[in-house]
Structures are given as C-alpha cells and as structure tokens.
Amino acid sequence: VTRFPAWRKVPEFTVFASLLRMTTKYGFSDAREQLVDGIKGAYPTGWEGLGTGVVLGEDIFGSPKPHKNAVLNLFTEQSIKFALPFAAYRAALGGFSSLISDEPGTVLPRRMLASTVYGMEVIRSKLAMLAHVAVCDMGLEGCSNTACAANAGINPPDQRREELAKIYLGVVNGGAGGMLSPPSLGNTVCANCAKKLETPRRRWCEMTWEKLPHIFGVGNSWEEL
Ligand SMILES: [Zn+2]
C-alpha cells in the first residue's frame, strides 16, 4: 500500500495540479480525496460560504497565485464538479481581459468561455437593475440622518447625485467575495438604510447562488454536482 503523508496545507497550484493528476492516474483515491478536501472551504457550495474572513477561490493556493482560468481548466479536466460553479464565478470576476487570456494553461475552451462571459453578464445586469431600483427608491424617500449618503437635505443636487452613486456602486460591487458577497454599506449609509439595501440584495444573491451551476453552464443544480 502506498502511503502519502498528510498535507498540512494546500500546496501551491502547480504542485497541487501535478499531485491531483497523479493520484487520479494511479487511482490513489484517499490521497486524491485529501487534496480535494483541502480546497472545499475556498470553493463553497452554499452562499453562506462567502462569509468574511474566509480564504476564497485561487487564494487558497498561496503564492504564486494561479490564474483563475487555469484553476477552472484543472477542475474541469479533473471533474472536481462541486467547485466548478464557484471557479467559473471567480474567473468571471477577473473580467473580460482575464477571461480571454491566451497564456499557457489559461485558455478557456470556446464553450466554457462563452458560458462564463454569459454568466458574468447575467449576474452583472440583474444586480445593476436591483441597485438602480434600490437607489431610486432611496433617493425619492430620502433619509433624515445627516451623516447618511441618502440624506434628503444634501445640496447642491450634483452632490446628492454623487452620494447616491456611491450607494449604487456599493450595491453593485458587493464585498470581498465579489458581486455575490454582502457589501459593507455601513461606511456609506446609516444603519437603517444599510438594512433596507442589504435585505433585498441578500435575498437576490441567495436566489442567484441557487442557480449558479445553471448560470455558468456547468450543471443543472448544486445537487446534481
Ligand atoms: Zn439613512
């Protein structure tokens, strides 16, 4: 019986990739499982997994940080299915120029490139709509708290518009985990308004997360992966 030492931490990406390929090739399923277990927290399957303070996505491989596309390619090749929706989401967060990278190992197959760009656009456009409605409502209503960006008394109108734009960007950009993670609106608006913005946003993100495998074209549902 071949025994592998227990890995205390996730090895850097190129080592991780070689070990993963080797354990697959020679059928060392225990060692393979151990490797895959190490990245589970970084590639959450539940929306709560995006919580703050968690090492997410390719950051788990430490330095040098691998290209998000390279990770997505490896997971696809090695059928690490549970991690595919989040790996695609991370690749999408890299933006268009990162998605079309042509450096070795980072070229996404045509279909995957198309579905990742599509997924990115679906999430972005719907989130923009949500933010637009939220900011319109907030602008009309106005807040009485003078320290709040939604304060009705902010003058001149240009400055008010600027403050409302800050709220819009906060809602659209999300937190450290990208578009789908909760933003820290507390720095911009008062606690009351933050709650008003965050509650519908969270509901929307949870709903979108449920559809993430479908949005990125890697499966019909989380259960299926
Ligand atoms: Zn307020």
Side-chain angles (χ1 to χ4, degrees):
V1 181
T2 313
R3 287 188 183 279
F4 280 85
W7 288 295
R8 258 164 288 137
K9 62 190 236 354
V10 176
E12 64 120 319
F13 184 69
T14 50
V15 177
F16 178 88
S18 317
L19 286 169
L20 190 65
R21 288 187 179 115
M22 191 176 73
T23 55
T24 307
K25 187 174 174 190
Y26 297 107
F28 300 142
S29 51
D30 282 0
R32 188 181 196 273
E33 210 172 299
Q34 209 187 110
L35 273 171
V36 173
D37 270 351
I39 58 152
K40 275 194 173 146
Y43 289 86
T45 55
W47 182 74
E48 323 74 59
L50 281 180
T52 49
V54 193
V55 177
L56 289 172
E58 62 289 345
D59 289 351
I60 192 76
F61 299 108
S63 185
K65 200 193 281 194
H67 196 286
K68 301 166 204 283
N69 295 3
V71 180
L72 181 55
N73 278 337
L74 177 73
F75 291 173
T76 308
E77 172 206 302
Q78 290 290 315
S79 282
I80 318 271
K81 289 193 175 162
F82 77 88
L84 286 178
F86 196 68
Y89 168 72
R90 294 293 289 195
L93 288 183
F96 191 66
S97 60
S98 162
L99 280 170
I100 60 166
S101 164
D102 53 9
E103 277 164 47
T106 69
V107 179
L108 295 177
R110 198 183 128 86
R111 208 193 130 73
M112 173 139 293
L113 175 63
S115 53
T116 311
V117 170
Y118 169 79
M120 175 178 72
E121 283 315 310
V122 165
I123 296 177
R124 251 198 208 148
S125 61
K126 295 213 166 140
L127 197 51
M129 221 156 12
L130 182 114
H132 177 76
V133 171
V135 169
C136 282
D137 285 351
M138 201 148 268
L140 285 172
E141 219 173 298
C143 177
S144 57
N145 187 328
T146 50
C148 177
N151 181 253
I154 295 176
N155 233 329
D158 273 355
Q159 201 197 328
R160 177 123 206 264
R161 209 171 290 130
E162 213 169 282
E163 291 301 314
L164 290 174
K166 275 186 209 159
I167 303 177
Y168 176 85
L169 286 177
V171 175
V172 165
N173 292 337
M179 302 178 279
L180 287 179
S181 70
S184 45
L185 294 165
N187 310 324
T188 317
V189 292
C190 72
N192 216 354
C193 290
K195 210 170 142 196
K196 266 193 235 169
L197 291 164
E198 279 160 11
T199 309
R201 192 188 191 281
R202 187 177 55 239
R203 223 175 289 132
W204 181 84
C205 284
E206 279 170 332
M207 233 171 57
T208 304
W209 182 276
E210 277 312 302
K211 295 186 230 153
L212 212 59
H214 187 69
I215 289 173
F216 284 110
V218 293
N220 290 314
S221 65
W222 285 101
E223 292 72 34
E224 187 197 273
L225 302 171

